[in-house]
Amino acid sequence: MNIVESVVTQIQGLSSSATDIAALHTYLKQADESLHTESARLLPFLDHLDPSIHSLGYLYILDACTSGPISEEQAKTLVLIFARFITSCVAEQIRLASDKFVSVCKRFKDQVMLLKAPMQGVAAMLSAVRKLQSSSAHLTTLHPEFLQLCLLSKSYKTGLSVLEDDIFEVDQPRDLFLYCYYGGMMCIGQKRFQKALELLHNVVTAPMSSINAIAVEAYKKYILVSLIHQGQFSTSLPKYASSAAQRNLKNFCQPYIELANSYSTGKIAELETYVQTSREKFESDNNLGLVKQVLSSMYKRNIQRLTQTYLTLSLQDIANTVQLNSPKEAEMHVLQMIQDGEIYATINQKDGMVRFLEDPEQYKTCEMIKHIDSSIQRMMELSKKLTTMDELMSCDPLYLAKAGRERQRFDFDDFDTVPQKFNI
Amino acid sequence: MEADDEIYANGGDGPSRNRPIISGEQLDIEAYAGLYTGRTKITRLLFISDHCDNPPMQLEALRMAYDEIKKGENTQLFREVVQKIDGRLGPNYAMDSAWCETVDRRAEQRKERLENELNAYRTNLIKESIRMGYNDFGDFYYAHGALGDAFKSYVRTRDYCTTSKHIIHMCMSAILVSIEMGQFTHVTSYVSKAEQTPEALDPITIAKLRCAAGLAHLEAKKYKLAARKFLEVAPELGNSYTEVIAPQDVATYGGLCALASFERTELKNKVIDNLNFRNFLELVPEVRELIHDFYSSHYASCLDYLGNLKANLLLDIHLHDHVETLYDQIRNKALIQYTHPFVSVDLNMMANAFKTSVAGLEKELEALITDNQIQARIDSHNKILYARHADQRNATFQRVLQTGSEFDRDVRAMLLRANLIKHEYNLRASRKL
């Protein structure tokens, strides 16, 4: 009992300045085990502490008192305590014990899922993520947890706000896989297919020594999204994808690859029959909705191809070429595409004719100039980043050692001169 | 002969002796076969009998083949042709086993004699005699239809050739056998071997080699190269290569391939203004006319001539597989050339010019536009084709923005991957931790 009280007093006393916090941290690390033994009693002590001032201490005690199994009744109160802590804690303090923070947040997430109320956890997790990352380009273990909650609670907009950040640093590769996979799913839900394609592409081409289930599922969705968005799919992965992925991913996604082949023939009837026959496989992967979107995208692609060859075309001809059942259906499709901005056209109902127009964008407006300018700025920043990274790499001793070893094999002119001391 | 664009009516103007043999009319088999000598005559007759659907023509071809084979020593072909005739030509054209036996026996004896002679020469190590011995063997096998062995024998003489003449002789024999066998890769290699001899070749040999090279390219579907080769054949060729190709064929193959693959300037320079080739074209006036019609944009009559010639061209052993492709290419070229100078084209008029329906024409044009061979768009409502020239400025902006976003995506992904690799992240490592 004394231990707990003394811990509380220490926390209250040593939470004001940075040096105090460091000392508190060492003290807490030592006291951690004893705290865990007293876990059942710890809950009321939390009221003595203010999470916005005593974040580090609060964290330790919270971690200790929730380390055991928790019933649903307790979960309801605990969830509120967790949420309050996370939203009000101080970022610098909790970063000192990031592992603990991560496990606390994970437990929070489990509670929220247990109560089947993922919505409650979204806001708190968002602030947790923001506090844990050292910069907006840093991917933490909490990112996928957060995205999972967003997916389950259908709060896509919040999720998307996090996805907008570019990621350059990763703690654990598994986090990246899950993050990109969930992110891809969210973008698909919001019909942002380009970003979904990017995220899924990252999963599929990430370095991996052996393939994992996440990569397989991501590849399946990748095939479907690239059919919807680009109308084509090439089975060869780029060279920088890991050899494990290049060799093995295809074997697990056979029905999808056949779907892509059937799509490339351009015949709707074939595609439909194929989808019908393989319906169960798609359903068991929860991809049936996407597959249906692939089907409708085929009509769109065929109509788009018509805009390249015709200036005007009758609705009857469109229906015939694209293999729709009637001019009315063709009209509906064309109307939908005009509204979505996928083609530029006008429908003349009197004659039953569609007139295809050119893209009205003239690239002369102020907005366009601003857009181009900001793109240029972005490219320049990226280039700078790239050059910095290259320079850092060339100074890295490990790299130089390897390059020095390999030197004998190559011509003298093949790469930059490496200092003598790195020669074997 | 001056540039004389008068169109010859079908059948020609002169005495019937000068009637063009390859024309729109039904093929005169006797005249056609008269163009060739040697084994190719027989092969061509058999091909005609296999591919024509006109029974009297078929029987005529088989009869002539039978007569020709009997003059030679190929019993295998004899048996084949008898089987094909199947008794339809009466008792004179039935199986003559006595003849077969005599020929075979004679062949055995000759073969033995040749072998003995060759062995004698070999022991004596007289180069020239050994070379002639192998040559004789080659000729013997060729006459008896054992083409593979003939080829091998001819090639064996290579080690015993002393002068360029010998090498040329060997190459020409090898080429002849390869063409008969249908192995055109050999043809190409032996043509280049022959052309590499240090001595200057006489013009007839050069012409022969060009014909052989042209045939090889035709077989390989390289129509442009084939056309160029055929167009370079000198008129000195005359009838000196009838064991492979007739001058009429040079004109037909060269003309059609050129039409299908050349651009307008090349067509004018190498075909229409080519004085040498004109001599060949005189032999097949319909081909000459259709080339001129194409160049002067009389597409309807050009396509008419083509249509008429098709039946006979399908009976030619070398051209048979390529007729459809060449015709499609020529037709597409005509369509493209028709639309090229105009800003807008009335599809009804165009359909008349090409003797097709507007709907069919629309489909053809659609295919060409999708293939990016015509830059235009179809106004299906008013049935007009409008030329459409891409807006370079807009296209450039679009491309630039797209390149930018691709760069953005790729660099970010690359930095991410580099970061992963840099910390030596892989699943196994993280499991160990």
Side-chain angles (χ1 to χ4, degrees), chain A residues 141-159:
Chain A
T141 323
L142 290 181
H143 274 80
E145 312 284 333
F146 167 64
L147 284 184
Q148 197 180 3
L149 281 179
C150 286
L151 269 176
L152 289 170
S153 64
K154 301 205 196 318
S155 35
Y156 297 125
K157 295 242 172 52
T158 342

Side-chain angles (χ1 to χ4, degrees), chain B residues 56-287:
Chain B
M57 264 179 83
Q58 224 180 3
L59 289 175
E60 176 75 7
L62 285 170
R63 187 182 63 77
M64 295 191 63
Y66 185 99
D67 289 333
E68 197 62 32
I69 295 176
K70 257 242 166 119
K71 292 184 206 156
E73 297 184 358
N74 193 336
T75 51
Q76 179 58 34
L77 269 180
F78 183 76
R79 279 182 252 273
E80 259 183 59
V81 84
V82 167
Q83 210 174 13
K84 288 198 176 141
I85 293 180
D86 211 15
R88 289 178 284 173
L89 286 170
N92 283 341
Y93 290 94
M95 184 63 191
D96 191 348
S97 329
W99 181 84
C100 285
E101 274 178 42
T102 334
V103 168
D104 285 335
R105 217 176 328 123
R106 234 193 353 242
E108 273 304 309
Q109 291 172 341
R110 178 148 171 76
K111 186 169 176 188
E112 242 183 87
R113 200 170 0 117
L114 284 175
E115 264 182 47
N116 293 335
E117 282 178 11
L118 188 60
N119 285 333
Y121 296 145
R122 275 222 289 256
T123 38
N124 289 340
L125 285 180
I126 312 170
K127 260 196 164 174
E128 181 58 20
S129 316
I130 302 178
R131 187 188 74 84
M132 290 191 46
Y134 273 117
N135 249 331
D136 290 339
F137 248 115
D139 294 336
F140 168 79
Y141 282 129
Y142 184 69
H144 287 267
L147 295 174
D149 294 321
F151 185 74
K152 278 191 217 130
S153 305
Y154 284 128
V155 171
R156 294 280 269 287
T157 66
R158 198 232 233 99
D159 300 327
Y160 307 99
C161 292
T162 43
T163 68
S164 308
K165 246 188 163 173
H166 296 162
I167 299 182
I168 304 287
H169 184 256
M170 173 207 70
C171 289
M172 296 308 292
S173 317
I175 290 172
L176 178 62
V177 180
S178 309
I179 295 180
E180 283 297 314
M181 284 200 290
Q183 288 180 3
F184 286 91
T185 33
H186 288 311
V187 173
T188 332
S189 55
Y190 281 98
V191 164
S192 43
K193 231 184 282 263
E195 283 171 351
Q196 276 163 14
T197 50
E199 264 181 41
L201 301 168
D202 70 290
I204 296 191
T205 320
I206 298 183
K208 287 187 188 177
L209 288 172
R210 293 232 174 90
C211 289
L215 276 179
H217 285 309
L218 177 64
E219 209 51 43
K221 297 200 203 304
K222 300 209 172 93
Y223 301 123
K224 202 169 206 173
L225 295 171
R228 287 196 185 137
K229 284 291 172 189
F230 282 123
L231 292 168
E232 284 168 9
V233 173
E236 285 90 343
L237 178 74
N239 285 322
S240 48
Y241 209 23
T242 50
E243 62 263 29
V244 171
I245 194 174
Q248 281 85 344
D249 291 333
V250 174
T252 322
Y253 298 168
L256 286 179
C257 289
L259 207 51
S261 55
F262 281 1
E263 293 304 321
R264 258 180 95 78
T265 28
E266 212 176 349
L267 191 70
K268 176 136 176 63
N269 291 339
K270 293 215 176 134
V271 181
I272 299 181
D273 290 345
N274 184 340
L275 294 164
N276 284 337
F277 197 66
R278 206 171 281 178
N279 297 330
F280 288 108
L281 278 179
E282 292 309 316
L283 301 167
V284 277
E286 292 200 10
V287 175

Side-chain angles (χ1 to χ4, degrees), chain A residues 191-209:
Chain A
K191 299 225 185 307
R192 291 186 50 179
F193 291 116
Q194 182 58 46
K195 189 141 180 81
L197 211 54
E198 216 181 290
L199 287 165
L200 292 171
H201 184 79
N202 277 340
V203 182
V204 165
T205 55
M208 48 178 128
S209 54

Side-chain angles (χ1 to χ4, degrees), chain B residues 13 27-28 39 42 64 89 135 163 172 178 204 251 254 265-266 269 307 326 329 332 349 357 364 367 387 410:
Chain B
D13 259 336
L27 194 62
D28 180 347
R39 195 169 190 278
I42 303 169
M64 295 191 63
L89 286 170
N135 249 331
T163 68
M172 296 308 292
S178 309
I204 296 191
T265 28
E266 212 176 349
N269 291 339
L326 285 171
Q329 284 188 3
N332 283 347
M349 280 177 55
S357 68
E364 284 186 90
D410 289 340

